[in-house]
Amino acid sequence: MARVLVLNGPNLDRLGRRRPELYGRTTLAEIESRLKQLGRQLNLEVELRQSNHEGELVAWIHEACERFDALLINAAAYTHTSIAIMDALEMFPGPVVEVHLSNIFAREPFRHRSFVSPVATGVVCGFGPLGYELALRAVAARLGLDGSGDG
Ligand code: DQA
């Protein structure tokens, strides 16, 4: 079974309580259980991790190069600052989907620049927690697991 690592950056451990008018009331634990359930339907094994530390995220991307077939990443604020995360993602051989709960292009100008996008296969933003599920479906298509042949 193909394996997907879902990485989440700083402050996403506060989802549900953090600015709910912007990010919603769904917690990261709820997102994780929805993704695992969808993963079972799509024949994907899903593992979700969160860190408030840039270096830990970089180390997990390195680990993913050996042990996972695809990556979903919401790098949160590091999206807009981290060349280290970009450089690590560039080494990942499989599909990478950048996810954001909010539409970063409808927000402050400093959020319009992403260091993740240039090395991502695709980007899903603005759909709240649903974005993670859309991204997982995109990964299944890319890995040729959804039967559409459109990957
Ligand atoms: C975010 C958008 C980022 O700009 C912000 O720093 C976050 C969350 C999102 O999911 O909408 O922490 O990645």
Side-chain angles (χ1 to χ4, degrees), residues 7 21 45 58 67 77 80 107 111-112 122 129 147:
L7 293 179
E21 75 290 354
E45 192 182 321
V58 168
R67 297 190 46 232
H80 317 298
R107 299 181 62 192
R111 294 185 203 275
H112 299 178

Side-chain angles (χ1 to χ4, degrees), residues 26-100:
T26 307
T27 64
L28 199 57
E30 287 164 344
I31 290 174
E32 179 177 24
S33 88
R34 285 186 205 173
L35 283 180
K36 284 186 184 273
Q37 195 183 343
L38 180 61
R40 281 190 287 273
Q41 289 171 34
L42 297 170
N43 222 14
L44 292 168
E45 192 182 321
V46 176
E47 184 173 326
L48 184 141
R49 300 183 196 173
Q50 187 277 332
S51 178
N52 294 321
H53 303 279
E54 186 178 19
E56 188 163 37
L57 291 161
V58 168
W60 285 342
I61 295 165
H62 293 172
E63 180 193 336
C65 290
E66 321 299 330
R67 297 190 46 232
F68 289 86
D69 302 291
L71 271 177
L72 266 53
I73 182 163
N74 183 349
Y78 289 142
T79 305
H80 317 298
T81 62
S82 180
I83 295 168
I85 289 175
M86 177 178 77
D87 284 351
L89 288 172
E90 200 175 29
M91 289 185 274
F92 185 75
V96 174
V97 184
E98 175 181 0
V99 178
H100 300 285

Side-chain angles (χ1 to χ4, degrees), residues 72-74 96-105 117 120-139:
L72 266 53
I73 182 163
N74 183 349
V96 174
V97 184
E98 175 181 0
V99 178
H100 300 285
L101 295 147
S102 62
N103 180 356
I104 56 174
F105 301 102
S117 299
T121 311
V123 183
V124 180
C125 79
F127 294 104
L130 175 66
Y132 286 85
E133 294 172 55
L134 299 172
L136 195 64
R137 287 187 185 279
V139 154

Side-chain angles (χ1 to χ4, degrees), residues 121 137-151:
T121 311
R137 287 187 185 279
V139 154
R142 253 306 145 106
L143 294 174
L145 299 171
D146 70 340
S148 72
D150 288 341

